[in-house]
Amino acid sequence: MTKSGNAGFSKSLLDFINAWKEKPGNLIMILHHVQEEQGFISKEAAMEVARLINVPVARVFGVVSFYHFFKTEKPGKNLINVCLGTACYLKGGQDILDELRAQLKIEEGATTTKDGLFSVEPVRCIGCCGLAPVISVNGDVYGKLTKNQVKDILAQYNKASA
């Protein structure tokens, strides 16, 4: 992959941007591809997109901040999704989320640990309502959880990342 520009865009991403720069709805499509390639939308990437498609930087940041899908923080090596759908919430999903944040020492307003090993994000549904409460770690699903199980689950991924 050849890199170009301040944001380190690959040649294939630049080709995509060039193909879409004049199409309606281009900004969201381009931002999806940037996030797919880089894992998030950095300030530098947003500014580069604005330059490449000739739109104000404020418009790019407005779209990135409006849509929950776009991430502005580099994700951790291990992504933990905590289901807060109705079934999971009623069976303690918020308690699991709070325990994860406490165990990982994730500060209020942040989603990623300082060492970059874990990101914790609440989601609306994982699709395993019968196993509530549920989390997913890198796609591995853990159901019928209690707060006491959180430490052991995290330990598995700490060992694997060592």
Coordinates of all heavy atoms in Angstrom, one line a residue, residues 75-152:
P75 N -8.9 3.4 18.2 CA -9.5 2.3 19.0 C -8.4 1.4 19.6 O -7.3 1.3 19.1 CB -10.3 1.4 17.9 CG -9.6 1.7 16.6 CD -9.1 3.1 16.7
G76 N -8.7 0.7 20.7 CA -7.8 -0.2 21.3 C -7.6 -1.4 20.5 O -8.4 -1.7 19.6
K77 N -6.6 -2.2 20.9 CA -6.3 -3.5 20.2 C -7.5 -4.4 20.4 O -7.8 -5.2 19.5 CB -5.0 -4.0 20.8 CG -4.6 -5.3 20.1 CD -3.3 -5.8 20.7 CE -2.8 -7.1 20.0 NZ -1.6 -7.6 20.5
N78 N -8.1 -4.4 21.5 CA -9.3 -5.3 21.8 C -10.5 -4.4 22.0 O -10.6 -3.6 22.8 CB -9.0 -6.1 23.1 CG -7.8 -7.0 23.0 OD1 -7.8 -8.0 22.3 ND2 -6.8 -6.6 23.7
L79 N -11.5 -4.7 21.1 CA -12.8 -4.0 21.2 C -13.8 -4.7 21.9 O -14.2 -5.9 21.6 CB -13.3 -3.7 19.8 CG -14.6 -3.0 19.7 CD1 -14.6 -1.6 20.4 CD2 -15.1 -2.8 18.2
I80 N -14.3 -4.1 23.0 CA -15.4 -4.7 23.8 C -16.6 -3.9 23.6 O -16.7 -2.7 23.8 CB -15.0 -4.6 25.3 CG1 -13.7 -5.3 25.6 CG2 -16.1 -5.2 26.2 CD1 -13.2 -5.1 27.0
N81 N -17.7 -4.6 23.1 CA -19.0 -4.0 22.9 C -19.9 -4.6 24.0 O -19.9 -5.8 24.3 CB -19.6 -4.5 21.6 CG -18.9 -3.8 20.4 OD1 -18.7 -2.6 20.4 ND2 -18.6 -4.5 19.4
V82 N -20.5 -3.6 24.7 CA -21.4 -4.0 25.8 C -22.8 -3.7 25.4 O -23.2 -2.6 25.1 CB -21.1 -3.2 27.1 CG1 -22.0 -3.6 28.3 CG2 -19.6 -3.3 27.5
C83 N -23.6 -4.8 25.4 CA -25.0 -4.6 25.0 C -25.8 -3.9 26.0 O -25.8 -4.2 27.2 CB -25.7 -6.0 24.7 SG -27.3 -5.8 24.0
L84 N -26.5 -2.8 25.6 CA -27.4 -2.1 26.5 C -28.8 -2.1 25.9 O -29.6 -1.2 26.2 CB -26.9 -0.6 26.7 CG -25.6 -0.5 27.5 CD1 -25.3 1.0 27.7 CD2 -25.7 -1.2 28.8
G85 N -29.1 -3.1 25.0 CA -30.5 -3.2 24.6 C -31.4 -3.6 25.7 O -30.9 -3.8 26.9
T86 N -32.7 -3.6 25.5 CA -33.6 -3.7 26.6 C -33.4 -4.9 27.5 O -33.3 -4.8 28.7 CB -35.1 -3.8 26.0 OG1 -35.3 -2.6 25.3 CG2 -36.1 -3.9 27.2
A87 N -33.2 -6.1 26.9 CA -33.0 -7.3 27.7 C -31.7 -7.2 28.5 O -31.7 -7.5 29.7 CB -33.0 -8.6 26.8
C88 N -30.6 -6.8 27.9 CA -29.4 -6.7 28.6 C -29.4 -5.6 29.6 O -28.8 -5.8 30.7 CB -28.2 -6.5 27.6 SG -27.8 -7.9 26.6
Y89 N -30.0 -4.5 29.3 CA -30.0 -3.4 30.3 C -30.8 -3.9 31.5 O -30.4 -3.7 32.7 CB -30.7 -2.2 29.7 CG -30.6 -1.0 30.6 CD1 -29.5 -0.2 30.7 CD2 -31.7 -0.7 31.4 CE1 -29.4 0.9 31.5 CE2 -31.7 0.4 32.3 CZ -30.5 1.2 32.3 OH -30.4 2.2 33.2
L90 N -31.9 -4.5 31.3 CA -32.8 -5.0 32.5 C -32.1 -6.0 33.3 O -32.4 -6.2 34.5 CB -34.1 -5.5 32.0 CG -35.1 -4.4 31.4 CD1 -36.3 -5.0 30.8 CD2 -35.4 -3.4 32.5
K91 N -31.2 -6.8 32.7 CA -30.5 -7.9 33.4 C -29.1 -7.5 33.9 O -28.3 -8.3 34.3 CB -30.4 -9.1 32.6 CG -31.8 -9.7 32.4 CD -31.8 -11.1 31.9 CE -33.2 -11.7 31.9 NZ -33.1 -13.1 31.7
G92 N -28.8 -6.2 33.8 CA -27.5 -5.7 34.4 C -26.4 -5.3 33.4 O -25.3 -5.1 33.8
G93 N -26.8 -5.0 32.2 CA -25.8 -4.5 31.2 C -25.1 -3.3 31.6 O -23.9 -3.2 31.4
Q94 N -25.8 -2.3 32.2 CA -25.1 -1.1 32.7 C -24.1 -1.4 33.8 O -23.0 -0.8 33.8 CB -26.1 -0.1 33.2 CG -25.5 1.3 33.6 CD -24.8 2.0 32.4 OE1 -25.5 2.2 31.3 NE2 -23.6 2.4 32.5
D95 N -24.4 -2.3 34.7 CA -23.5 -2.7 35.7 C -22.2 -3.4 35.1 O -21.1 -3.1 35.6 CB -24.1 -3.7 36.7 CG -25.3 -3.1 37.5 OD1 -25.3 -1.9 37.7 OD2 -26.2 -3.9 37.9
I96 N -22.4 -4.2 34.1 CA -21.2 -4.8 33.4 C -20.4 -3.7 32.8 O -19.1 -3.7 32.9 CB -21.7 -5.8 32.3 CG1 -22.5 -6.9 32.9 CG2 -20.5 -6.3 31.5 CD1 -21.8 -7.8 33.9
L97 N -21.0 -2.7 32.1 CA -20.3 -1.6 31.5 C -19.5 -0.8 32.5 O -18.3 -0.5 32.4 CB -21.3 -0.7 30.7 CG -20.7 0.6 30.1 CD1 -19.6 0.3 29.1 CD2 -21.8 1.4 29.5
D98 N -20.2 -0.5 33.6 CA -19.5 0.2 34.7 C -18.3 -0.6 35.3 O -17.3 0.0 35.6 CB -20.5 0.6 35.8 CG -21.6 1.5 35.4 OD1 -21.4 2.2 34.4 OD2 -22.6 1.6 36.1
E99 N -18.5 -1.9 35.4 CA -17.4 -2.7 36.0 C -16.2 -2.8 35.0 O -15.1 -2.7 35.4 CB -17.9 -4.1 36.2 CG -16.9 -5.0 36.9 CD -16.5 -4.7 38.3 OE1 -17.2 -3.9 38.9 OE2 -15.5 -5.2 38.7
L100 N -16.5 -2.9 33.7 CA -15.4 -2.9 32.7 C -14.6 -1.6 32.8 O -13.4 -1.6 32.8 CB -16.0 -3.1 31.3 CG -16.4 -4.5 30.9 CD1 -17.3 -4.5 29.7 CD2 -15.1 -5.3 30.6
R101 N -15.3 -0.5 32.8 CA -14.7 0.8 32.9 C -13.8 1.0 34.1 O -12.7 1.5 34.1 CB -15.7 2.0 32.7 CG -16.3 2.1 31.3 CD -17.2 3.3 31.3 NE -17.6 3.5 29.9 CZ -18.8 4.0 29.5 NH1 -19.7 4.4 30.4 NH2 -19.1 4.2 28.3
A102 N -14.4 0.5 35.2 CA -13.6 0.6 36.5 C -12.4 -0.3 36.5 O -11.3 0.1 36.8 CB -14.5 0.2 37.7
Q103 N -12.5 -1.6 36.0 CA -11.4 -2.5 36.0 C -10.3 -2.0 35.0 O -9.1 -2.2 35.3 CB -11.9 -3.9 35.5 CG -12.8 -4.6 36.4 CD -12.1 -5.7 37.2 OE1 -11.0 -6.1 36.9 NE2 -12.7 -6.0 38.3
L104 N -10.7 -1.4 33.9 CA -9.8 -0.9 32.9 C -9.3 0.5 33.2 O -8.5 1.0 32.4 CB -10.4 -1.0 31.5 CG -10.6 -2.4 31.0 CD1 -11.5 -2.4 29.8 CD2 -9.3 -3.2 30.8
K105 N -9.9 1.1 34.2 CA -9.5 2.5 34.6 C -9.7 3.5 33.4 O -8.8 4.3 33.1 CB -8.1 2.6 35.1 CG -7.9 1.8 36.4 CD -6.4 1.8 36.8 CE -6.2 1.1 38.1 NZ -6.6 -0.3 38.2
I106 N -10.8 3.3 32.7 CA -11.2 4.2 31.6 C -11.9 5.4 32.2 O -12.9 5.3 32.9 CB -12.1 3.5 30.6 CG1 -11.3 2.4 29.9 CG2 -12.6 4.5 29.5 CD1 -12.1 1.6 28.9
E107 N -11.3 6.6 31.9 CA -11.8 7.8 32.5 C -13.1 8.2 31.9 O -13.4 7.8 30.8 CB -10.7 9.0 32.2 CG -9.4 8.7 32.9 CD -8.4 9.7 32.6 OE1 -8.7 10.8 31.9 OE2 -7.2 9.5 32.9
E108 N -13.9 9.0 32.6 CA -15.2 9.5 32.2 C -15.0 10.2 30.8 O -14.1 11.0 30.6 CB -15.8 10.5 33.2 CG -17.2 10.9 32.9 CD -18.2 9.7 33.0 OE1 -18.0 8.8 33.9 OE2 -19.1 9.8 32.2
G109 N -15.9 9.9 29.9 CA -15.8 10.5 28.6 C -14.9 9.8 27.6 O -15.0 10.0 26.4
A110 N -14.0 8.9 28.0 CA -13.1 8.2 27.2 C -13.7 6.8 26.8 O -14.6 6.3 27.5 CB -11.7 8.0 27.8
T111 N -13.2 6.2 25.8 CA -13.6 4.8 25.5 C -12.4 3.8 25.4 O -12.6 2.6 25.4 CB -14.3 4.8 24.1 OG1 -13.4 5.3 23.1 CG2 -15.5 5.6 24.1
T112 N -11.2 4.4 25.5 CA -10.0 3.5 25.3 C -9.0 3.7 26.5 O -8.9 4.8 27.0 CB -9.3 3.9 24.0 OG1 -10.2 3.8 22.9 CG2 -8.1 3.0 23.7
T113 N -8.4 2.5 26.8 CA -7.4 2.6 27.9 C -6.2 3.4 27.5 O -5.9 3.5 26.3 CB -7.0 1.1 28.3 OG1 -6.5 0.5 27.2 CG2 -8.2 0.4 28.9
K114 N -5.5 3.9 28.5 CA -4.3 4.7 28.2 C -3.3 3.9 27.5 O -2.5 4.5 26.7 CB -3.8 5.3 29.5 CG -4.6 6.4 30.1 CD -4.0 7.1 31.3 CE -5.0 8.1 31.8 NZ -4.5 8.9 32.8
D115 N -3.2 2.6 27.7 CA -2.2 1.8 27.0 C -2.6 1.4 25.6 O -1.8 0.7 24.9 CB -1.8 0.6 27.9 CG -2.9 -0.4 28.1 OD1 -4.0 -0.2 27.6 OD2 -2.7 -1.3 28.9
G116 N -3.8 1.7 25.3 CA -4.3 1.3 23.9 C -4.7 -0.1 23.8 O -4.9 -0.6 22.6
L117 N -4.8 -0.9 24.8 CA -5.1 -2.3 24.7 C -6.6 -2.6 24.6 O -6.9 -3.5 23.9 CB -4.5 -3.0 26.0 CG -4.4 -4.5 25.9 CD1 -3.5 -4.9 24.7 CD2 -3.7 -5.0 27.2
F118 N -7.4 -1.8 25.2 CA -8.9 -2.0 25.2 C -9.6 -0.8 24.8 O -9.3 0.3 25.3 CB -9.4 -2.5 26.6 CG -8.9 -3.9 26.9 CD1 -7.8 -4.0 27.8 CD2 -9.5 -5.0 26.5 CE1 -7.3 -5.3 28.1 CE2 -9.1 -6.3 26.9 CZ -8.0 -6.4 27.7
S119 N -10.7 -1.0 24.1 CA -11.8 0.0 23.9 C -13.1 -0.6 24.3 O -13.3 -1.7 24.1 CB -11.9 0.4 22.4 OG -10.8 1.2 22.0
V120 N -13.9 0.2 25.1 CA -15.2 -0.2 25.5 C -16.2 0.7 25.0 O -16.2 1.9 25.2 CB -15.2 -0.2 27.1 CG1 -16.6 -0.6 27.6 CG2 -14.1 -1.1 27.7
E121 N -17.2 0.1 24.3 CA -18.3 0.9 23.7 C -19.6 0.2 24.0 O -19.8 -1.0 23.7 CB -18.1 1.0 22.2 CG -16.8 1.7 21.8 CD -16.7 1.9 20.3 OE1 -17.5 1.5 19.6 OE2 -15.6 2.4 19.9
P122 N -20.6 1.0 24.4 CA -21.9 0.5 24.6 C -22.6 0.4 23.2 O -22.3 1.2 22.3 CB -22.6 1.5 25.4 CG -21.8 2.8 25.3 CD -20.4 2.4 25.0
V123 N -23.3 -0.7 23.0 CA -24.1 -0.8 21.7 C -25.5 -1.1 22.1 O -25.9 -1.5 23.2 CB -23.5 -2.0 20.8 CG1 -22.1 -1.6 20.4 CG2 -23.5 -3.3 21.6
R124 N -26.4 -1.0 21.1 CA -27.8 -1.1 21.4 C -28.3 -2.6 21.3 O -29.3 -2.9 21.9 CB -28.7 -0.3 20.4 CG -28.5 1.2 20.6 CD -29.2 1.5 22.0 NE -28.5 2.7 22.5 CZ -28.2 2.9 23.8 NH1 -28.4 2.0 24.7 NH2 -27.7 4.0 24.2
C125 N -27.6 -3.4 20.5 CA -28.0 -4.8 20.5 C -26.9 -5.7 19.9 O -26.4 -5.3 18.9 CB -29.3 -5.0 19.7 SG -29.9 -6.7 19.8
I126 N -26.6 -6.8 20.5 CA -25.7 -7.7 19.9 C -26.4 -8.9 19.2 O -25.9 -9.6 18.4 CB -24.7 -8.2 21.0 CG1 -23.8 -7.1 21.4 CG2 -23.9 -9.4 20.5 CD1 -22.8 -7.4 22.5
G127 N -27.7 -9.1 19.6 CA -28.5 -10.1 18.9 C -28.5 -11.4 19.7 O -28.8 -12.4 19.1
C128 N -28.2 -11.3 21.0 CA -28.2 -12.6 21.8 C -29.0 -12.3 23.1 O -28.6 -12.6 24.2 CB -26.8 -12.9 22.2 SG -25.7 -13.2 20.9
C129 N -30.2 -11.8 22.9 CA -31.1 -11.4 24.0 C -31.3 -12.5 25.0 O -31.4 -12.2 26.2 CB -32.4 -10.9 23.5 SG -32.2 -9.5 22.3
G130 N -31.4 -13.8 24.6 CA -31.6 -14.9 25.5 C -30.4 -15.1 26.4 O -30.5 -15.9 27.4
L131 N -29.3 -14.5 26.1 CA -28.1 -14.7 26.9 C -27.8 -13.4 27.8 O -26.7 -13.3 28.4 CB -26.8 -14.9 26.0 CG -26.9 -16.2 25.2 CD1 -25.7 -16.3 24.3 CD2 -27.0 -17.4 26.1
A132 N -28.7 -12.5 27.9 CA -28.5 -11.2 28.5 C -28.0 -11.4 30.0 O -28.5 -12.4 30.7 CB -29.8 -10.4 28.5
P133 N -27.2 -10.5 30.5 CA -26.5 -9.5 29.7 C -25.3 -10.0 28.9 O -24.7 -11.0 29.4 CB -26.0 -8.5 30.8 CG -25.8 -9.4 32.0 CD -26.9 -10.5 31.9
V134 N -24.9 -9.4 27.8 CA -24.0 -9.9 26.9 C -22.9 -8.8 26.6 O -23.2 -7.6 26.5 CB -24.7 -10.3 25.6 CG1 -23.7 -10.7 24.5 CG2 -25.7 -11.4 25.8
I135 N -21.7 -9.3 26.4 CA -20.6 -8.5 25.8 C -20.0 -9.2 24.7 O -20.1 -10.5 24.6 CB -19.5 -8.0 26.8 CG1 -18.7 -9.2 27.3 CG2 -20.1 -7.2 28.0 CD1 -17.4 -8.8 28.1
S136 N -19.3 -8.5 23.8 CA -18.6 -9.1 22.7 C -17.2 -8.5 22.8 O -17.0 -7.3 22.9 CB -19.2 -8.7 21.4 OG -18.4 -9.0 20.3
V137 N -16.2 -9.4 22.8 CA -14.8 -8.9 22.8 C -14.1 -9.5 21.5 O -14.0 -10.7 21.3 CB -14.0 -9.5 24.0 CG1 -12.6 -8.9 24.0 CG2 -14.7 -9.2 25.3
N138 N -13.8 -8.6 20.6 CA -13.2 -8.9 19.3 C -14.1 -9.9 18.6 O -13.6 -10.8 17.9 CB -11.8 -9.4 19.4 CG -10.9 -8.4 20.0 OD1 -11.1 -7.2 20.0 ND2 -9.8 -8.9 20.7
G139 N -15.4 -9.9 18.8 CA -16.3 -10.8 18.1 C -16.7 -12.0 18.9 O -17.6 -12.7 18.6
D140 N -15.9 -12.3 20.0 CA -16.3 -13.4 20.9 C -17.4 -13.0 21.8 O -17.2 -12.0 22.5 CB -15.0 -13.9 21.7 CG -13.9 -14.4 20.8 OD1 -14.2 -14.9 19.7 OD2 -12.7 -14.2 21.2
V141 N -18.4 -13.7 21.9 CA -19.6 -13.3 22.7 C -19.6 -14.0 24.1 O -19.3 -15.2 24.1 CB -20.9 -13.7 22.0 CG1 -22.1 -13.4 22.8 CG2 -21.0 -12.9 20.6
Y142 N -19.9 -13.3 25.1 CA -19.9 -13.8 26.5 C -21.3 -13.4 27.0 O -21.6 -12.2 27.1 CB -18.8 -13.2 27.4 CG -17.4 -13.5 26.9 CD1 -16.8 -12.7 25.9 CD2 -16.8 -14.6 27.4 CE1 -15.5 -13.0 25.5 CE2 -15.5 -14.9 26.9 CZ -14.9 -14.1 26.0 OH -13.6 -14.5 25.5
G143 N -22.1 -14.4 27.4 CA -23.4 -14.1 27.9 C -23.7 -14.6 29.3 O -22.9 -15.3 29.9
K144 N -24.9 -14.2 29.8 CA -25.3 -14.4 31.2 C -24.2 -14.0 32.2 O -23.9 -14.7 33.1 CB -25.7 -15.9 31.3 CG -26.9 -16.3 30.4 CD -27.5 -17.6 30.8 CE -28.6 -17.8 29.8 NZ -29.6 -18.7 30.3
L145 N -23.7 -12.8 31.9 CA -22.6 -12.3 32.7 C -23.0 -11.8 34.1 O -24.1 -11.2 34.2 CB -21.8 -11.2 31.9 CG -21.1 -11.6 30.7 CD1 -20.5 -10.4 30.0 CD2 -20.0 -12.6 31.0
T146 N -22.0 -11.8 34.9 CA -22.1 -11.1 36.2 C -20.8 -10.2 36.3 O -19.8 -10.5 35.6 CB -22.1 -12.1 37.4 OG1 -20.8 -12.8 37.5 CG2 -23.2 -13.1 37.3
K147 N -20.9 -9.2 37.2 CA -19.7 -8.4 37.3 C -18.5 -9.2 37.8 O -17.4 -8.8 37.4 CB -20.0 -7.3 38.4 CG -21.0 -6.3 37.9 CD -21.2 -5.1 38.8 CE -20.9 -5.2 40.2 NZ -21.2 -4.0 41.0
N148 N -18.7 -10.2 38.5 CA -17.6 -11.0 39.0 C -16.8 -11.7 37.8 O -15.6 -12.1 38.0 CB -18.0 -12.1 40.0 CG -18.6 -11.5 41.2 OD1 -18.2 -10.3 41.6 ND2 -19.5 -12.2 41.9
Q149 N -17.4 -11.9 36.7 CA -16.7 -12.6 35.6 C -15.9 -11.6 34.7 O -15.0 -12.1 33.9 CB -17.8 -13.2 34.7 CG -18.6 -14.4 35.3 CD -19.7 -14.8 34.5 OE1 -20.7 -14.1 34.3 NE2 -19.6 -16.0 34.0
V150 N -16.1 -10.4 34.9 CA -15.4 -9.4 34.1 C -13.8 -9.5 34.2 O -13.1 -9.5 33.2 CB -15.8 -7.9 34.4 CG1 -14.9 -6.9 33.8 CG2 -17.3 -7.7 34.0
K151 N -13.3 -9.6 35.4 CA -11.9 -9.7 35.6 C -11.3 -10.9 34.9 O -10.2 -10.7 34.2 CB -11.6 -9.8 37.1 CG -10.1 -9.8 37.5 CD -9.9 -9.8 39.0 CE -8.5 -9.7 39.3 NZ -8.2 -9.8 40.7
D152 N -11.9 -12.0 34.9 CA -11.4 -13.2 34.2 C -11.4 -13.1 32.7 O -10.5 -13.5 32.0 CB -12.1 -14.5 34.6 CG -11.9 -14.9 36.1 OD1 -10.8 -14.5 36.6 OD2 -12.7 -15.5 36.7

